[in-house]
Amino acid sequence: VVTRYLSIATALLGLMAAIVAATYWWKASRVAIRNNAASISDVPELYIQSTQVAFNESSRLNAYAAIWTGIAALLSAGAAVLGVL
């Protein structure tokens, strides 16, 4: 009886971790390149720098998403094991 409740609680925690991961993936896909120059040809260095900043931010968000995805997978596996016991 106790393992059933632990299994359900672990599964819910896994679901929450998966939602957090999905939120980070979504945010990573929505990072915009901020370009202060009038056009790319005016000051290409600023555009390159803005692109690098956007890539770094997207990379950081993707890293968090990957960590949360791993946590969700571990919690889901734990819930499955507890459900069998």
Side-chain angles (χ1 to χ4, degrees), residues 1-84:
V1 174
V2 173
T3 56
R4 183 171 32 149
Y5 291 122
L6 282 175
S7 174
I8 293 170
T10 307
L12 290 174
L13 287 174
L15 173 64
M16 286 187 273
I19 291 170
V20 170
T23 302
Y24 276 116
W25 291 124
W26 183 79
K27 286 181 180 180
S29 72
R30 307 299 298 167
V31 173
I33 297 172
R34 293 179 183 90
N35 188 7
N36 296 331
S39 73
I40 296 172
S41 60
D42 289 343
V43 188
E45 295 84 12
L46 286 178
Y47 187 77
I48 291 169
Q49 184 181 16
S50 298
T51 302
Q52 288 175 338
V53 168
F55 286 163
N56 288 339
E57 176 67 11
S58 181
S59 175
R60 184 184 68 81
L61 292 169
N62 277 322
Y64 285 137
I67 290 168
W68 279 102
T69 300
I71 291 169
L74 290 173
L75 288 168
S76 296
V81 169
L82 287 171
V84 172

